[in-house]
Structures are given as C-alpha cells and as structure tokens.
Amino acid sequence: MADVAEQFGEIYDQYIEKIYRFVYLKVNSQEVAEDITSKVFMRGWEVFKNQGFNAAPGAFLYKSARNAVIDHYRQKTRTNVVSAELVPEAADDGKGAYDRAVLSADVENIKKAMGGLKKDYQDVLIWHYLDDMPIGQIAQILNKKEGAVRVMLHRGLRDLKGIIKEV
C-alpha cells in the first residue's frame, strides 16, 4: 500500500497545479476550484488504489476535472467561466504599475473572450496553450481523434480572435 501511495503522491505532485489552474479558470472562484480539485484527486486516489488508471494519469485527472466542473454548473446553473480574481496573480510579476495595468486589461479582455467560446474550445485552448498538453493527450481526454482536436483548436483560436476584436 505504501508503494501505491507513493506512486499516487508523485502523480499528485505532477498534476495538482495544472488541474487546479484548469478548474479555477472554469469556475470563477478560488474556494470552489480548491473544492473541486480536492474531489478530483480524492476520486483519483480511490480509482488508483483499487485498480490503477486505464489511461495516462493526466488524461484520467483532466477528464475527471472536466466532468466535475460540468457537475458543478449543473448544480449551480451558472454560466460564468473565468474570474477577474486571476488578474492580480497573472499581473504580479515584479513589473511596474503601468505594465501591470496593461497586462491586467489584456488578461481581462482574453478572459471575457474565452467566456464567449464553446466549452470544448475553452478546454482545448487551456490545455494546449496553458498546460502545454500535446494534441494526442487532449484527444484521449475528449475521446476524439487528433484531427478533430486540431480543428477544435483552430476554430477556438479563430473564434477567440474574433471576440477579442469586438471587445
């Protein structure tokens, strides 16, 4: 059991920040993101200790996180996707006040634009560009072919650019 716990601990260390960031960008609240992320890893632990993961650990965890976010919105019937709370974290990089203000405005525009995209496009863009996830792994999470994911990525970027121009 200690070996299984140690293996899962390594998986946890590798994915906790990525899963939390993904959830946080989707749920609009730090507290909710922490709760959902905790549930994702608790579910992951139960599956891992009993049977292991059939797929890559990242694919299992992202799929669980995606489903947990969907469940969250079903329960709350909210449609907000991202939170302005992210702006101070993204802008706090030691730059001057002017640079932070410009970055903050840009991040806010991108977040608003992301909210106008289809949920699948949001997921693909976050996974690929924020988490540096390869197309193959995204395809595995979504149960789609790699070509379909590439099309989603292309369409998501196109739509995002169009929305940003309007903002």
Side-chain angles (χ1 to χ4, degrees), residues 7-157:
Q7 289 174 345
F8 188 77
E10 290 174 11
I11 293 168
Y12 177 89
D13 291 342
Q14 183 178 359
Y15 288 100
I16 184 66
E17 290 179 17
K18 292 176 181 181
I19 297 296
Y20 172 78
R21 180 177 49 228
F22 171 74
V23 172
Y24 181 78
L25 288 171
K26 306 291 279 177
V27 298
N28 200 24
S29 164
Q30 182 178 349
E31 288 178 3
V32 173
E34 289 171 357
D35 288 345
I36 290 174
T37 301
S38 176
K39 289 176 187 174
V40 166
F41 279 95
M42 289 300 294
R43 182 173 184 271
W45 167 243
E46 291 299 320
V47 169
F48 189 76
K49 76 176 183 179
N50 291 326
Q51 65 194 36
F53 294 133
N54 292 333
F60 175 87
L61 293 169
Y62 275 109
K63 188 178 271 189
S64 294
R66 186 171 192 254
N67 290 338
V69 168
I70 290 168
D71 290 345
H72 167 75
Y73 280 112
R74 282 184 184 148
Q75 292 172 356
K76 300 293 182 179
T77 63
R78 289 186 269 171
T79 57
N80 292 338
V81 177
V82 290
S83 169
E85 294 171 358
L86 180 62
V87 174
E89 290 179 29
D92 188 20
D93 59 3
K95 293 184 178 184
Y98 175 77
D99 291 339
R100 285 194 308 269
V102 169
L103 179 60
S104 177
D106 289 344
V107 169
E108 188 61 36
N109 286 338
I110 291 170
K111 289 190 314 184
K112 284 180 185 176
M114 287 286 285
L117 295 177
K118 292 180 181 179
K119 302 291 185 216
D120 285 346
Y121 291 177
Q122 291 174 20
D123 294 347
V124 169
L125 290 170
I126 289 169
W127 289 330
H128 188 69
Y129 290 108
L130 290 180
D131 291 341
D132 293 322
M133 190 180 294
I135 299 292
Q137 189 174 359
I138 296 170
Q140 187 177 13
I141 293 169
L142 297 175
N143 294 324
K144 295 187 182 287
K145 294 184 178 186
E146 288 185 24
V149 172
R150 284 188 189 91
V151 169
M152 292 171 69
L153 190 60
H154 173 74
R155 288 182 179 166
L157 282 174

